[in-house]
Amino acid sequence: MKNQLRYAFLVVGLGLVLAAPQLAAQSLKGMSLNGATGLMSIPSGRIGWEHSADLGFDLGYHAIFDDGDTAHIPKASLSLFKLAEVSFAYDTNTGDDNEDILIGGKIQLPTGRTAVAVGGNVHARQRNDNSRNSQQVYLAATYPGSFFGMPAETTMVVGKTFGDDGPGEEAIDFGMGFDLQLFPDVFQGYVHWINDFGNFSYSLDAVGANARDRGVFNTGIRIDIAANPALSRYKFVIDAMLTDALDENRAFALGLAFGAPIL
């Protein structure tokens, strides 16, 4: 519990610093591990194509490498009318007859500079011929700021998980993280440092994370290939990250996402 609180205070403290309203951040809008627009484990208050298209899609894939095992997570999302998003991910997990289907959705509220979304997801989990289901509802807020002159966005999430093997009736889901555009004068907007902490992960059966027991801190680099002006109409993101980075059971993940407007 002490370690969990220490991680939480670390991320909250950094998030409050990043929230200083000095310089508007570039909104990268990458895909989280379960397919929703967000950081790694936690969703953000943004949707994939909130300002630029009435209809846009994202396709993504992450692989999590954990003690010689590999989980594959292909995913897709669809943004609708600049205010809603639906997402889907298939998590192969590890071992035989283990797989998860993750379906999510969120609606963005008209809150101005701070992006706020109400969302939820359903986890249909299969373990050795046993089916288990759970549901989560959440409120996510994302607001821009800066850190030593580098654009940043901070996200906070509060929610509740229900269903089979949930964390308990009294447990409240909480997550916080930030997306920092590293040294934009040097890297020209291509490199982002992303971090998140939560007492929940992308799934109740997450690979490479132990969120229900102690909370998890995830960190990594997100490369925005679409920072190239010739590709600015599209989305092309590459991820390299550590999940549960501060604990012994940490894992490594690689991923990418591509998106394009339709209308």
Side-chain angles (χ1 to χ4, degrees), residues 181-201:
Q181 190 182 120
L182 281 176
F183 306 109
D185 291 339
V186 176
F187 296 114
Q188 302 299 306
Y190 285 95
V191 181
H192 292 241
W193 181 31
I194 55 174
N195 297 265
D196 64 25
F197 170 87
N199 63 352
F200 66 95
S201 192

Side-chain angles (χ1 to χ4, degrees), residues 8-142:
F9 289 143
L10 171 65
V11 178
V12 170
L14 286 172
L16 292 175
V17 172
L18 293 172
Q22 300 172 6
L23 182 64
Q26 295 293 323
S27 180
L28 181 53
K29 297 189 287 291
M31 299 182 82
S32 63
L33 289 169
N34 69 4
T37 298
L39 299 174
M40 286 174 277
S41 286
I42 68 173
S44 70
R46 300 197 176 280
I47 61 174
W49 297 87
E50 62 188 8
H51 299 304
S52 51
D54 286 327
L55 186 63
F57 74 91
D58 288 51
L59 300 175
Y61 166 80
H62 283 89
I64 303 176
F65 307 95
D66 183 27
D67 291 333
D69 294 320
T70 303
H72 304 276
I73 314 177
K75 64 204 67 180
S77 70
L78 187 66
S79 298
L80 305 167
F81 313 118
K82 301 178 183 177
L83 60 82
E85 173 184 286
V86 292
S87 60
F88 172 87
Y90 174 74
D91 183 1
T92 64
N93 221 290
T94 57
D96 296 331
D97 299 320
N98 293 339
E99 58 189 28
D100 295 339
I101 295 175
L102 312 172
I103 301 172
K106 55 183 169 178
I107 297 175
Q108 193 176 73
L109 305 179
T111 53
R113 189 169 181 263
T114 298
V116 178
V118 177
N121 51 66
V122 175
H123 298 179
R125 297 170 290 141
Q126 185 72 30
R127 287 292 173 275
N128 301 317
D129 296 325
N130 295 317
S131 297
R132 294 178 290 172
N133 298 307
S134 60
Q135 306 82 37
Q136 183 192 46
V137 293
Y138 63 82
L139 177 70
T142 299

